[in-house]
Amino acid sequence: MTDELRERKYAQIPELEVRNLCKYFPAGKGRVLKAVDDVSFVIRKGQTLGIVGESGCGKTTCGKTCIGMLMKNSGEVLFQGQDVHGMSKKERFAFTSKVQMIFQDPYASLDPHQKVYNIIAEGIKVHKLAKDRKDEEGQVMRLLEMVGLNTEHANRNVHEFSGGQRQRIGIARALSVNPEFLFCDEPISALDVSIQAQIINLLAELKAERNLTMLFIAHDLSMVKHISDNIGVMYLGNMVEMSPSVELYAKPYHPYTEALLSAVPIADPDASEKRKRILLRGDVPSPVNPPEGCRFCERCTKCMEVCRTKRPPLKEVSAGHFVACHLYS
Ligand code: SF4
């Protein structure tokens, strides 16, 4: 096969393909918590899928199952065409250098008493990515500069750094093995609002420079707007809407997405005043005992009879824009 043909064939294979993924947990007394229930999506090379939804909607569980941190109950997850849950030990080792995670809480995910150098160099050592100690030092220093830290920071302990700086260390650690895919699990939600934009901008720059593919989890739509090519909205274990980012903000279909968008702050005070905030009634139902039909029906102002008994399938309503709602069946 020529290089061109190989490239073309490779371009057709999504970086990550998730088919009908289900992840359940036992919830006592024979009951089951359906954290992720029949979720499907595709992420192409160099693209970012942002997944949003309230706490407990299953977005983090979905991401962790996609990268094999959690075992699935059913469905399929393919990374570059390879079954993530059916890898040998050797394949899994190679996979861990291609796929890395950035954690939600940099205070909990980094040992405060470790030296920054050791944290960043660990992956380089494990995957034998340096020729010698000098090469390893060079790589660590370049990574520190790449994430906006000073090379003098290498010999300091993690506890000496602020939350934003710790998240930069976490990003440098993830990048140390030259990954192709980053799973970012709410990487800015534990940080000060003033720091959040800096970390998002850093991730966006790194994505462009390294042609990274990303799965980016966030709890509200304002956080994923600028970094996502596509956005998926999850509710109670289901994907209820998925669309190119620009289109989702311009024309949301699902009543839940409309409500989430109505809460996103707008810079223009006039537009903000005119906009009507949609307040959702009630709380998210228990995922152990979700509504039988549409899982959003108890909180939806547009709920119809059919919504209570029949689960709406995810359907394409315009090019690349999918929604699970009987209003568009
Ligand atoms: Fe609302 Fe019915 Fe659509 Fe569910 S299917 S979001 S209840 S209109």
Side-chain angles (χ1 to χ4, degrees):
M1 200 187 294
T2 64
D3 283 354
E4 196 193 333
L5 270 177
R6 200 174 295 120
E7 243 173 56
R8 239 188 278 158
K9 184 173 176 235
Y10 180 66
Q12 288 164 5
I13 300 174
E15 196 75 336
L16 186 75
E17 184 168 6
V18 178
R19 295 185 196 146
N20 309 104
L21 184 66
C22 293
K23 176 64 193 172
Y24 303 157
F25 296 98
K29 297 180 185 160
R31 296 174 309 166
V32 171
L33 188 156
K34 296 185 173 180
V36 179
D37 198 15
D38 197 15
V39 166
S40 301
F41 59 81
V42 155
I43 312 179
R44 302 218 167 262
K45 176 90 184 144
Q47 298 225 312
T48 296
L49 172 70
I51 296 187
V52 296
E54 289 162 286
S55 292
C57 72
K59 54 192 189 300
T60 293
T61 302
C62 180
K64 286 183 174 172
T65 314
C66 285
I67 63 164
M69 274 176 86
L70 293 172
M71 288 311 289
K72 64 180 181 180
N73 284 79
S74 59
E76 224 176 350
V77 182
L78 304 173
F79 177 74
Q80 296 178 350
Q82 191 179 15
D83 180 5
V84 168
H85 295 99
M87 290 177 180
S88 65
K89 219 172 162 188
K90 197 174 159 201
E91 287 168 337
R92 182 85 206 155
F93 182 71
F95 176 80
T96 56
S97 75
K98 288 183 180 173
V99 176
Q100 282 287 303
M101 178 169 177
I102 295 171
F103 295 84
Q104 179 176 3
D105 185 354
Y107 289 91
S109 60
L110 298 173
D111 180 349
H113 305 296
Q114 277 268 358
K115 282 222 169 1
V116 171
Y117 183 95
N118 294 340
I119 285 175
I120 300 175
E122 190 186 350
I124 299 172
K125 286 190 173 92
V126 169
H127 288 274
K128 298 186 174 52
L129 298 174
K131 289 198 289 284
D132 49 32
R133 172 76 188 190
K134 202 172 162 220
D135 184 23
E136 181 188 288
E137 282 174 11
Q139 290 189 38
V140 172
M141 298 309 157
R142 277 195 296 282
L143 283 160
L144 281 171
E145 283 171 351
M146 197 180 288
V147 299
L149 290 170
N150 207 308
T151 51
E152 279 119 53
H153 289 151
N155 284 318
R156 285 165 53 182
N157 286 336
V158 168
H159 67 77
E160 297 175 54
F161 293 89
S162 67
Q165 286 173 317
R166 288 184 199 206
Q167 197 55 299
R168 288 175 191 269
I169 296 167
I171 294 170
R173 174 176 67 178
L175 294 179
S176 67
V177 293
N178 299 318
E180 296 169 34
F181 186 98
L182 284 185
F183 167 41
C184 306
D185 181 22
E186 300 203 46
I188 55 171
S189 60
L191 305 177
D192 278 1
V193 176
S194 56
I195 308 294
Q196 290 180 347
Q198 291 176 17
I199 297 296
I200 288 276
N201 289 342
L202 172 64
L203 286 168
E205 278 166 26
L206 293 169
K207 175 196 164 189
E209 271 169 28
R210 297 178 156 230
N211 197 25
L212 289 167
T213 310
M214 288 193 201
L215 176 58
F216 194 103
I217 307 289
H219 64 265
D220 80 56
L221 279 162
S222 60
M223 291 189 184
V224 288
K225 186 173 184 181
H226 300 296
I227 198 161
S228 306
D229 300 284
N230 294 292
I231 292 180
V233 179
M234 276 187 81
Y235 185 81
L236 217 57
N238 291 159
M239 190 69 83
V240 296
E241 186 159 9
M242 202 159 30
S243 156
S245 176
V246 177
E247 192 173 319
L248 190 95
Y249 286 89
K251 195 176 179 192
Y253 283 96
H254 199 282
Y256 180 58
T257 314
E258 285 178 330
L260 288 184
L261 267 177
S262 79
V264 172
I266 305 179
D268 176 357
D270 289 339
S272 178
E273 209 166 284
K274 276 185 213 144
R275 186 179 60 181
K276 204 171 143 220
R277 173 92 198 262
I278 302 169
L279 290 173
L280 291 173
R281 56 189 185 189
D283 295 321
V284 183
S286 162
V288 177
N289 189 20
E292 198 185 311
C294 169
R295 292 193 174 175
F296 188 56
C297 68
E298 289 174 5
R299 305 175 80 194
C300 180
T301 52
K302 297 172 182 171
C303 181
M304 304 170 286
E305 207 43 51
V306 61
C307 308
R308 300 196 181 279
T309 52
K310 203 173 157 207
R311 185 171 155 182
L314 196 67
K315 278 193 167 181
E316 193 166 18
V317 282
S318 60
H321 194 152
F322 297 82
V323 63
C325 175
H326 288 304
L327 290 170
Y328 310 99
S329 292

